Amino acid sequence: MKKIILSLIVLLSVGSAYAQSTNFEEIAKIKGVEYTHVDKDMIKLAAKQGKGLHVGEMVNLGDGEGEEFLDQFDDVKVFACEEKGSVKKFKKTALKLLKGPEWEPLIDTKGDDGEIVKIYLSKNGEHSTNVILAVEEEEANLVVINGTFDYAKMMQEGMKVKTEVNNVKVEINN
């Protein structure tokens, strides 16, 4: 089975709009879903070591960006499901949670093989929650990043953004 690799190599740091992100924990209750939470202390440790934040093979944030970049993160939550019978429920639950007026869709792509990648943003003052949803037939992944990073603002300021999920590439150059 193909592994979904989510690389957010260019600046991705995010703030805390915890009201929205706490709802995502209901996805962790779905049969076959693996849930990983990286808190602020672990992010600081990764920053002090001069490394990016790596969560398994799926998330790679801030390589080569330095400690200041990772200081913008409050926490990162990763939900992964490879149980074929649960992928549809995972997708349906995630999309339901992202339907509210607080969520702004930033990117919505569909690959040749049916893989979808969606990126959403929710802001609460300077704090924000960025959500990346990647779904294909046999697996689904959701990454929730809280902090002060604003993915949309980064795109507007002309920074190069690359996201790759299972050979579905999204590249934005402003």
Side-chain angles (χ1 to χ4, degrees):
M1 176 191 301
K2 294 192 268 182
K3 289 286 180 186
I4 290 189
I5 299 174
L6 180 62
S7 295
L8 301 174
I9 297 172
V10 186
L11 302 173
L12 258 188
S13 54
V14 182
S16 59
Y18 291 108
Q20 292 92 354
S21 68
T22 55
N23 294 333
F24 288 104
E25 292 177 10
E26 89 178 54
I27 292 173
K29 297 175 185 175
I30 297 171
K31 182 182 175 189
V33 171
E34 294 179 20
Y35 170 61
T36 304
H37 177 241
V38 182
D39 67 12
K40 183 76 172 174
D41 292 332
M42 291 303 293
I43 294 168
K44 283 182 180 180
L45 180 62
K48 285 180 183 177
Q49 293 177 349
K51 300 178 182 177
L53 178 63
H54 303 265
V55 182
E57 294 179 5
M58 211 166 86
V59 176
N60 177 5
L61 301 170
D63 275 346
E65 298 298 330
E67 196 170 334
E68 292 172 5
F69 173 75
L70 289 178
D71 281 346
Q72 297 176 62
F73 290 88
D74 288 341
D75 73 334
V76 176
K77 297 175 182 180
V78 179
F79 304 84
C81 181
E82 293 184 4
E83 190 164 317
K84 191 173 182 176
S86 297
V87 169
K88 284 184 182 181
K89 184 174 183 178
F90 183 107
K91 177 183 174 184
K92 182 179 177 181
T93 303
L95 290 174
K96 179 182 169 189
L97 291 169
L98 294 165
K99 288 286 184 198
E102 68 274 14
W103 294 105
E104 176 185 354
L106 299 177
I107 295 175
D108 188 352
T109 65
K110 185 172 184 179
D112 294 338
D113 296 335
E115 305 101 339
I116 64 166
V117 177
K118 296 177 179 277
I119 300 177
Y120 291 84
L121 170 69
S122 177
K123 290 196 58 111
N124 183 5
E126 297 234 351
H127 296 263
S128 61
T129 299
N130 289 275
V131 175
I132 299 105
L133 173 64
V135 181
E136 62 179 285
E137 188 175 318
E138 295 183 6
E139 60 185 299
N141 296 279
L142 182 83
V143 180
V144 180
I145 306 169
N146 292 300
T148 56
F149 175 77
D150 183 335
Y151 198 75
K153 183 178 178 182
M154 183 181 73
M155 290 187 300
Q156 289 173 348
E157 291 177 355
M159 295 177 164
K160 190 172 184 178
V161 180
K162 284 186 181 180
T163 302
E164 182 175 341
V165 179
N166 205 20
N167 297 323
V168 176
K169 295 179 183 179
V170 178
E171 187 169 335
I172 300 167
N173 294 303
N174 255 351

